Amino acid sequence: MRTSYFNTGVLSLCTALLIAGCSTTPTPSTSNVRTVQLNSVSAQGIGASVGSVTLQDSPVGLIIQTQLTNLPAGPHGFHIHEKGSCEPAEKDGKMVAALAAGGHYNPTQVAHHGTPMTGHMGDLPVLHVNSAGQSQLKLIAPRLKLADVQGHALMIHAGSDNYADQPKPLGGGGERIACGVI
């Protein structure tokens, strides 16, 4: 019986030391990770959730992991916009979905829309949505860090992005269909 108390005591001591040791082990910082909730947007306002996007700093740039649903299938323009709002705003007497987000994030005043390597800092890789309306992709924005995009909007457009201003401005993405504030 005495051996049983000894073994239980030793086991308890070892467990306590293990727990104490773990509590002093440094944990990775999560300050360089941000999850952004995206919602559908229309001229009437902000609608239902379409999922989330996780942004994380890495040595190769900002990693963008999408977990999105209920979107139209196909390629979509995907950008960081200059203002942190997804509200509609008026343009030429007409309400426009998520217009309060402003234009593409462009702190260096690049004169043209372009690829994630050559255009506005907010020009991201094209977002592909499968036939089930889902996107679970990992994309990289090589010139961005999380600190650059905090407080801005993340936008999904109805159409694709050809990374040029011709034949339509800003890659031809068109209408804003989903948005989230970073």
Side-chain angles (χ1 to χ4, degrees), residues 79-83 99-106 120 153 170 176:
H79 308 106
I80 305 292
H81 280 243
E82 61 189 343
K83 298 176 185 168
L99 189 62
H104 294 181
Y105 175 59
N106 188 17
H120 306 142
L170 300 173
R176 300 164 186 211

Side-chain angles (χ1 to χ4, degrees), residues 75-90:
H76 296 275
F78 193 39
H79 308 106
I80 305 292
H81 280 243
E82 61 189 343
K83 298 176 185 168
S85 176
C86 295
E87 295 293 331
E90 189 174 330

Side-chain angles (χ1 to χ4, degrees), residues 151-176:
H152 297 280
L154 184 58
M155 192 73 64
I156 300 173
H157 293 266
S160 187
D161 188 337
N162 71 359
Y163 297 118
D165 287 318
Q166 299 296 326
K168 294 182 179 179
L170 300 173
E175 182 181 336
R176 300 164 186 211

Side-chain angles (χ1 to χ4, degrees), residues 8 10 14 30 32 40 50 76 94 99-100 105 114 118 120 139 158 169:
T8 303
V10 170
C14 289
T30 57
N32 66 345
S40 62
V50 297
H76 296 275
K94 180 179 167 186
L99 189 62
Y105 175 59
T118 64
H120 306 142
L139 307 168

Side-chain angles (χ1 to χ4, degrees), residues 104-177:
H104 294 181
Y105 175 59
N106 188 17
T108 58
Q109 302 304 307
V110 173
H112 64 281
H113 175 67
T115 71
M117 293 300 292
T118 64
H120 306 142
M121 293 292 280
D123 294 339
L124 301 176
V126 169
L127 178 71
H128 293 277
V129 176
N130 67 24
S131 60
Q134 301 170 341
S135 175
Q136 285 83 34
L137 297 175
K138 187 177 281 188
L139 307 168
I140 298 174
R143 299 184 299 160
L144 292 174
K145 295 181 292 210
L146 186 55
D148 298 328
V149 299
Q150 291 278 14
H152 297 280
L154 184 58
M155 192 73 64
I156 300 173
H157 293 266
S160 187
D161 188 337
N162 71 359
Y163 297 118
D165 287 318
Q166 299 296 326
K168 294 182 179 179
L170 300 173
E175 182 181 336
R176 300 164 186 211
I177 62 169

